[in-house]
Amino acid sequence: MKTKLSLIFLLISFFAKAQNWQAVGPDDFNQASYGTALYTSLVFNGTVPYVVYSDGLNSYKATVKKFNGTSWELVGTAGFSAGSATYTSLTFNGTVPYVVYSDGLNSYKATVQKFNGTSWELVGTAGFSAGQATYTSLAFNGTVPYVVYRDAVIKRQYKSLMVPPGN
């Protein structure tokens, strides 16, 4: 039995007296989305909200959507990662979205991809961490991406900080 479950995105209005949460975009009765959204991450590019999540409708592969002012639209293809994606994180380098996730196709090691305007492409090597990567996060120092995560192989070290080759 499939259960209808939509992504419901909420923002709080700090300027409202009651500070009520409000849905951003169509609710689950107006937006077709079946499956589960896991490992969600929200980021803004200017005033536009973007989300990445492990998409139950697409074999738990990574999907990115942005809010166009009326509805949520895909950024590239739904379920673009080669394998399942957990511990997803999304950020921007200028206007280019980047994601990092624990990659099910590569023994749950860290993988980074960026959107080139048409499709999602690898940044560096897929599954580059020593062991399983959890609690992933991605940030930029200028144009250099940095990834931090918990590595299951590295003992006595909770997180690893990685940059792609050549930087």
Side-chain angles (χ1 to χ4, degrees):
M1 176 177 88
K2 285 212 173 202
T3 303
K4 184 172 182 177
L5 180 65
S6 282
L7 297 173
I8 297 177
F9 304 97
L10 303 173
L11 297 175
I12 189 166
S13 171
F14 289 102
F15 301 106
K17 289 182 183 179
Q19 295 185 351
N20 293 325
W21 289 91
Q22 299 176 7
V24 175
D27 62 25
D28 59 353
F29 294 106
N30 297 318
Q31 180 177 349
S33 175
Y34 297 88
T36 304
L38 301 173
Y39 301 100
T40 58
S41 177
L42 168 70
V43 68
F44 282 80
N45 187 18
T47 60
V48 179
Y50 283 71
V51 295
V52 62
Y53 58 97
S54 178
D55 187 350
L57 185 60
N58 289 287
S59 302
Y60 296 96
K61 295 179 179 182
T63 294
V64 174
K65 289 187 177 183
K66 71 176 183 177
F67 187 65
N68 65 18
T70 305
S71 61
W72 291 92
E73 65 183 43
L74 285 170
V75 176
T77 305
F80 62 84
S81 58
S84 63
T86 60
Y87 297 99
T88 62
S89 181
L90 172 68
T91 194
F92 280 85
N93 181 21
T95 60
V96 179
Y98 282 70
V99 296
V100 61
Y101 55 91
S102 179
D103 186 350
L105 189 64
N106 288 288
S107 302
Y108 293 97
K109 295 178 179 181
T111 294
V112 175
Q113 290 188 257
K114 71 176 182 178
F115 188 65
N116 65 18
T118 304
S119 61
W120 290 89
E121 62 186 38
L122 284 173
V123 176
T125 305
F128 62 84
S129 58
Q132 290 182 354
T134 56
Y135 308 104
T136 63
S137 186
L138 175 66
F140 280 85
N141 181 12
T143 60
V144 179
Y146 287 81
V147 174
V148 65
Y149 54 91
R150 181 177 186 266
D151 194 311
V153 169
I154 299 175
K155 306 292 184 203
R156 298 184 186 168
Q157 185 175 349
Y158 180 69
K159 299 211 181 213
S160 296
L161 186 63
M162 303 289 289
V163 296
N167 288 302

